[in-house]
Amino acid sequence: METKEATAEEDSCDKDSTVRTNRGKRKNEETDEAAKQGNRKKHKKCGRQLRPGERYVPPPQKRNPGVSFSQEHFTETSYYFESGLRKVYPYYFAFTTYCKGRWIGKTLLEVFKSEFRAESLDYYKKAAKEGRIKLNETPVDDLNIILKNNDFMRNTVHRHEPPVSGKPLEVLVDDGEVVVVDKPASLPVHPCGRYRHNTVIFILGKEKGLSGLHTVHRLDRLTSGVLLFARTLEVSKKLDAMVRERQLEKEYVCRVEGEFPEGEVVCEEPILVVSFRVGFCRVDPKGKESRTVFQRLSYNGHSSVVRCLPLTGRTHQIRVHLQFLGFPILNDPIYGSSAWGPNRAKGGLVGMSDEELLEALIKEHSSKESLHLLDLPDEEVSGKQGPKTDCSDGTQEHNDQINAPASSGVACDDSSCKLTEEEVKAEDSQELHKSTSAAETADKMNGAHKENDSVSDEASITAKSNAFARDHLCGECKIVRPDPAEKDLIMYLHALRYKGPDFEYTTQMPDWAKEDWLQD
C-alpha cells in the first residue's frame, strides 16, 4: 500500500511538474512572441526590417517650443561674488544634438576630429571611456561607431562661465504686463556661447523668481540700459506690432572718440552682416536700409557724449554708423579696433576682404588675450575652424553643437533688433533640448566615477553646493585666468530710454556720460 501510495504521489508530482513546465514554457513562448512582435513593430516604425547586426535608431523626439527655463535649470549651479564680479561655480552640463546630414556615414571620431576641435581626440576618447559621450542615451566606448540619420548625441562637459559685472540687475517696472530692467554691461540677455547662468534671463529667474518672460528686444552683452520683457504672449504681440510699425522710440547715449560735430547728424548708410558666426557688420551698398540720428551732448577735449536715435533696428547699427562717420565708440572692441586699418573704416573704406578683416580682428585680440570679451568662437581663435555654419537667415547650426560654443550666434543688437516669436521659441527650445539638470547630471557622473577608480575625490560632484573644485578631464580647470578689469566689461553705449504710445521707461545717465567724467 505504501509503495502504491508513494508511486501515486510521485505520479501526481510528475504531472504537476509537467503542467508547471508546460505553463512556464507557454508563458516564455508568449513572452518571446510578444517581444518579437514589439521588435517587429519597432522595426516597422523605422520603415524596414533590420538586417542582422544592424543598429536601430529611435525616431527623433518632438521638442516643446513653448516652455521657458524652469527651476530645474536654475539649480544647475550657484553664484558667488568676488572682487566686484558675479561668478558661477563650474558645473556639469550636457550638450546634445541630432546627427547632421553631413555626418551620416561618418564615425563619431571623424566628426569630433573635423568639427569639434575645441578639445583633442585624446580628450574625447577618455570622455567616452567614462561614459560622458552617449549615442541615443547609451554610453559609447568606441568612437569608431558609424553615425546614422536621427542619431541623438549627448556630450557631458565640465562647464566654466566667464565672470560678469557684480552690479545688481535692477528691476525698474513689473506691472503684470511688462518687466523692465536696467541691464548692467557685460551681461548677455539670453544663454549663448559660454554664458548660461550669467545671463539676464537666468538671473531674473534665479534671484527674482521671474520666468516665462517674452523677449521684446536685445542689447549687446557689453551694452547697458533699458531692457524690456513681456509677461504674456498677448503683450509680446502688442509690443512686437509697435516695433514693426516703428511706434517704439529708442534713445541711447554713447561716448565716442574725438570732437563730434554740433547739431543733428543723420547717417543712412545700409548695413551688411559680414559674419553671423562672429557677429560683426559693415556699411555696404548690398546691406539693409538703416537710419540713425545723432546729436552731441558734450565734449571734454578728448571725447564726446552723443545722443543716438536709431530709427531702424539693424545689427550693431549705432556702432557701425559711428565708425562710418569716423567717431567710433571710445572702447568698442570691434568697431574701434585698428584691425580695420589706419582710418578704421571711416567713410566705409576698409581696403581688405572680409576674410582678411576677420583674420586681422582675431590676430589683434588674440595678442591682447581678450577673445573671451569678443565672443569669438574657439574654432576661430585657435585657427582650427571647421566647416562654416553661417546661414543666410542668421540662424546658427552651432546652437546644437555638442561642444560648448563660445560665440553668441547672431549678434545681440545695440539698436533693439527685434526677436520674432519664432526666434524666441527656437532659442528656448534649443536650450531646453540641450540642458540636463545639475542633480541628474551629478548622479550620472557620480555613477561613472564610482566605476572608475582613477577619478580622485577632488573631482567628485557635490550636487548640493555645485562648488566643484576640479575635474580631471577638464582643460579649463588647469588654467588660471586673471579676472577681467571693470573697464573690460563696459562699452560706452547705454540704452537710456524706450518710449511707446502710452509708456516711457528711463534709466539714469551712466557715470561715463556725465560732463565731469574724467578720462583715464
Side-chain angles (χ1 to χ4, degrees):
M1 287 291 292
E2 290 179 1
T3 303
K4 286 182 180 180
E5 287 176 358
T7 303
E9 187 175 342
E10 288 173 2
D11 289 343
S12 176
C13 289
D14 289 341
K15 287 179 183 178
D16 289 342
S17 177
T18 302
V19 170
R20 285 196 298 270
T21 301
N22 289 337
R23 283 177 181 168
K25 186 177 180 181
R26 282 197 299 272
K27 189 172 183 180
N28 289 336
E29 288 174 350
E30 290 170 1
T31 303
D32 291 342
E33 183 60 28
K36 288 178 182 177
Q37 288 179 0
N39 286 334
R40 279 197 293 269
K41 286 180 181 178
K42 183 166 65 173
H43 297 164
K44 188 176 180 181
K45 285 180 182 178
C46 70
R48 60 180 176 78
Q49 199 76 19
L50 292 180
R51 295 188 294 271
E54 188 174 2
R55 186 167 59 84
Y56 170 71
V57 178
Q61 296 180 357
K62 290 184 179 180
R63 299 181 182 183
N64 186 353
V67 179
S68 183
F69 300 105
S70 66
Q71 195 61 33
E72 177 188 11
H73 305 100
F74 299 146
T75 55
E76 289 168 337
T77 186
S78 54
Y79 300 116
Y80 66 101
F81 294 82
E82 185 178 71
S83 304
L85 299 173
R86 177 189 291 268
K87 298 184 177 182
V88 173
Y89 288 112
Y91 57 100
Y92 287 95
F93 182 82
F95 284 91
T96 63
T97 182
Y98 280 102
C99 178
K100 309 293 183 188
R102 62 180 179 272
W103 302 348
I104 297 174
K106 294 183 179 180
T107 64
L108 261 177
L109 189 65
E110 289 174 322
V111 171
F112 281 128
K113 184 177 180 180
S114 63
E115 302 207 24
F116 302 114
R117 304 186 185 185
E119 299 287 355
S120 66
L121 288 180
D122 184 56
Y123 166 85
Y124 291 118
K125 290 175 182 177
K126 290 178 180 177
K129 287 182 179 178
E130 295 201 11
R132 301 193 188 189
I133 299 175
K134 294 184 178 181
L135 199 61
N136 304 316
E137 304 300 356
T138 300
V140 174
D141 55 6
D142 183 4
L143 295 181
N144 289 311
I145 189 169
I146 296 176
L147 294 173
K148 301 175 67 175
N149 189 31
N150 291 332
D151 266 333
F152 181 71
M153 287 178 279
R154 181 184 297 272
N155 179 27
T156 299
V157 300
H158 193 235
R159 191 168 183 177
H160 294 244
E161 294 194 24
V164 297
S165 170
K167 183 179 178 181
L169 180 62
E170 183 183 357
V171 177
L172 303 175
V173 176
D174 181 8
D175 60 8
E177 289 194 346
V178 297
V179 172
V180 185
V181 303
D182 185 359
K183 183 183 94 65
S186 78
L187 271 180
V189 178
H190 300 282
C192 56
R194 294 174 183 262
Y195 299 88
R196 182 171 170 82
H197 290 266
N198 267 344
T199 61
V200 174
I201 289 289
F202 265 59
I203 293 172
L204 286 177
K206 289 163 70 88
E207 296 187 350
K208 311 290 186 182
L210 298 171
S211 58
L213 302 177
H214 300 261
T215 309
V216 176
H217 67 104
R218 289 180 288 182
L219 295 176
D220 274 337
R221 181 166 60 84
L222 296 180
T223 303
S224 56
V226 177
L227 186 62
L228 277 71
F229 297 95
R231 277 283 205 172
T232 65
L233 183 58
E234 182 181 356
V235 175
S236 176
K237 290 179 178 179
K238 178 182 175 182
L239 292 171
D240 182 40
M242 289 182 191
V243 173
R244 288 197 309 270
E245 297 165 10
R246 298 186 180 177
Q247 295 179 346
L248 193 61
E249 182 181 322
K250 302 158 287 185
E251 178 182 350
Y252 288 70
V253 290
C254 64
R255 183 173 284 276
V256 303
E257 296 183 12
E259 185 176 2
F260 197 84
E262 291 185 324
E264 187 176 273
V265 177
V266 180
C267 186
E268 298 181 308
E269 298 297 326
I271 293 177
L272 177 71
V273 177
V274 175
S275 172
F276 286 108
R277 181 175 179 80
V278 174
F280 76 98
C281 311
R282 61 177 171 81
V283 165
D284 190 281
K286 300 189 294 291
K288 292 184 177 180
E289 171 197 359
S290 308
R291 190 169 192 262
T292 315
V293 178
F294 299 102
Q295 183 179 21
R296 192 180 86 186
L297 298 180
S298 65
Y299 173 60
N300 68 0
H302 302 281
S303 59
S304 306
V305 175
V306 178
R307 177 176 179 257
C308 316
L309 299 177
L311 304 182
T312 51
R314 308 304 175 204
T315 301
H316 293 174
Q317 177 175 319
I318 293 173
R319 299 164 67 182
V320 173
H321 276 175
L322 285 169
Q323 181 196 48
F324 177 86
L325 294 172
F327 300 93
I329 292 175
L330 190 60
N331 59 350
D332 191 324
I334 296 180
Y335 301 101
S337 169
S338 60
W340 293 83
N343 295 320
R344 286 181 292 184
K346 180 179 180 180
L349 301 176
V350 179
M352 65 184 86
S353 68
D354 292 340
E355 291 73 19
E356 291 171 332
L357 176 58
L358 176 59
E359 185 177 346
L361 278 168
I362 292 173
K363 184 177 180 181
E364 175 179 311
H365 290 283
S366 178
S367 65
K368 295 179 180 179
E369 297 183 353
S370 59
L371 287 162
H372 64 287
L373 298 176
L374 288 184
D375 295 338
L376 291 174
D378 287 338
E379 297 91 329
E380 302 279 2
V381 174
S382 61
K384 300 176 180 178
Q385 183 179 356
K388 291 184 179 179
T389 57
D390 287 355
C391 304
S392 59
D393 62 354
T395 57
Q396 302 300 117
E397 281 194 55
H398 72 241
N399 279 337
D400 285 331
Q401 283 185 2
I402 54 179
N403 273 326
S407 172
S408 63
V410 182
C412 298
D413 191 1
D414 56 31
S415 56
S416 304
C417 173
K418 179 68 179 71
L419 273 176
T420 64
E421 183 181 338
E422 288 73 21
E423 282 179 302
V424 174
K425 287 183 176 180
E427 288 187 6
D428 289 346
S429 169
Q430 286 163 351
E431 285 296 332
L432 284 175
H433 177 58
K434 285 191 276 189
S435 67
T436 300
S437 71
E440 180 184 351
T441 304
D443 289 342
K444 291 179 179 178
M445 296 299 294
N446 271 330
H449 287 164
K450 287 174 185 176
E451 295 173 5
N452 191 329
D453 294 334
S454 65
V455 181
S456 66
D457 291 338
E458 190 179 23
S460 66
I461 299 171
T462 307
K464 255 185 193 177
S465 67
N466 289 298
F468 308 126
R470 188 177 296 274
D471 178 272
H472 70 293
L473 287 186
C474 177
E476 194 69 19
C477 281
K478 302 171 185 175
I479 301 174
V480 178
R481 297 188 185 276
D483 285 336
E486 183 179 357
K487 64 182 180 64
D488 294 325
L489 297 176
I490 296 174
M491 182 169 61
Y492 298 146
L493 179 62
H494 180 82
L496 185 66
R497 183 174 62 94
Y498 272 63
K499 182 179 180 181
D502 55 356
F503 62 82
E504 180 173 348
Y505 307 118
T506 307
T507 66
Q508 293 184 351
M509 193 77 80
D511 290 340
W512 51 259
K514 296 175 181 177
E515 290 190 32
D516 59 351
W517 180 75
L518 298 177
Q519 190 167 332
D520 294 336

